[in-house]
Amino acid sequence: MAKKIFIDPGHGGKDPGATGNGLKEKDLTLAIARECRRVLQQEYTGHSIRMSREKDQTVSLRQRTEEANRWGAHFFLSIHINAGGGTGFESYRYVKQGSAMTMAVQKEVHAVVLARSGWKDRRKKWANFHVLRESKMPAVLTENGFIDTGADAAKLKDPAFVKKLGRAHAEGLAKALGLKKKPSSAPPVSAPKRDQLIRVRVNGKQAGAFAQPENAVDLVEKVAKPGAVIDVNMV
Ligand SMILES: [Zn+2]
């Protein structure tokens, strides 16, 4: 049976979410969500997707979870941008020990976003957020950089970077949910140049350099232990 994935771009309409550096959270979350959906639809099979909003419209938190519950979604993915001074990426589940699917999606999405963005790892967390608590299915919420921090905002201003975030969410979801790749969508294989390698550093020491993002993700997953400081760098 096809996996029903509910994608929730945070805020919208009258609620801009966080703002800073000329950016609005509601625009970024929608762009990430749309790209996530596009990648899943074009490159993977075995799912159907619904979004809590398709455009810049006001949708309450309750409407979002009620729609996902009514539809009988198998997974709820909520996309947000952080604010309040800080830097990097963090993700949330509802309780410390979530369901197997919750833990798997958080782990994979978290690892792929880190590998693709090069952002500081602010860790996998849990919190009593409405969309995590009131959704009846496994749910994860991501906080993609800080809109009010110059360095994070500079990246978020680049549409190609925002697309990268969308793709990372799609690939993480696909891996955790076991979605199959469409045969035609295999990327062309070409020899990587040295300057295109993704470098992973652990506690200040280089742990690996990869041409393929998924290999960097595998390493990040392996070394992501409490206390490990992981830097992922796309030079
Ligand atoms: Zn938000």
Side-chain angles (χ1 to χ4, degrees):
M1 193 176 67
K3 294 256 167 39
K4 292 180 173 178
I5 302 169
F6 192 86
I7 304 176
D8 174 39
H11 311 278
K14 284 186 224 147
D15 168 20
T19 57
N21 293 295
L23 294 167
K24 289 186 187 126
E25 181 180 2
K26 65 176 182 177
D27 300 330
L28 295 166
T29 60
L30 185 58
I32 295 168
R34 278 186 174 150
E35 178 67 5
C36 176
R37 176 175 62 179
R38 189 193 69 76
V39 170
L40 287 172
Q41 285 178 339
Q42 290 188 357
E43 300 181 15
Y44 294 90
T45 60
H47 59 75
S48 62
I49 297 169
R50 237 186 234 193
M51 306 231 301
S52 58
R53 64 184 177 97
E54 295 286 340
K55 51 186 199 289
D56 185 15
Q57 66 199 103
T58 307
V59 187
S60 72
L61 292 174
R62 204 173 133 190
Q63 283 173 314
R64 294 168 200 252
T65 47
E66 279 182 353
E67 194 193 338
N69 291 343
R70 213 177 307 123
W71 184 41
H74 294 109
F75 199 84
F76 190 109
L77 177 67
S78 191
I79 298 169
H80 288 255
I81 311 294
N82 228 328
T87 183
F89 174 80
E90 63 195 24
S91 61
Y92 288 90
R93 58 188 183 273
Y94 175 41
V95 287
K96 185 173 182 185
Q97 187 55 52
S99 69
M101 194 191 280
T102 301
M103 304 305 276
V105 172
Q106 187 178 23
K107 176 179 169 222
E108 299 299 346
V109 169
H110 195 98
V112 185
V113 172
L114 282 187
R116 294 252 178 196
S117 65
W119 263 335
K120 177 178 180 250
D121 183 3
R122 294 176 58 86
R123 309 264 177 232
K124 300 188 274 280
K125 303 176 177 182
W126 59 95
N128 183 13
F129 294 149
H130 173 100
V131 294
L132 301 179
R133 184 184 66 242
E134 299 299 328
S135 48
K136 295 200 172 109
M137 65 291 306
V140 165
L141 181 148
T142 62
E143 293 279 5
N144 297 268
F146 283 70
I147 207 163
D148 53 355
T149 294
D152 287 9
K155 285 187 159 188
L156 292 168
K157 272 182 192 167
D158 175 7
F161 181 81
V162 171
K163 281 199 169 165
K164 235 186 239 182
L165 293 175
R167 169 171 290 279
H169 282 75
E171 289 178 351
L173 264 179
K175 191 169 178 197
L177 300 181
L179 304 181
K180 295 259 176 306
K181 262 211 142 185
K182 287 185 182 172
S184 58
S185 64
V189 179
S190 59
K193 295 189 189 110
R194 273 195 69 75
D195 61 356
Q196 290 174 338
L197 294 177
I198 301 163
R199 290 167 210 284
V200 180
R201 291 170 70 81
V202 182
N203 298 328
K205 283 194 199 128
Q206 176 147 330
F210 305 94
Q212 301 300 327
E214 47 279 20
N215 295 333
V217 171
D218 286 344
L219 178 63
V220 169
E221 281 171 5
K222 233 176 272 162
V223 297
K225 305 217 168 71
V229 179
I230 301 166
D231 292 305
V232 183
N233 221 319
M234 298 213 222
V235 190

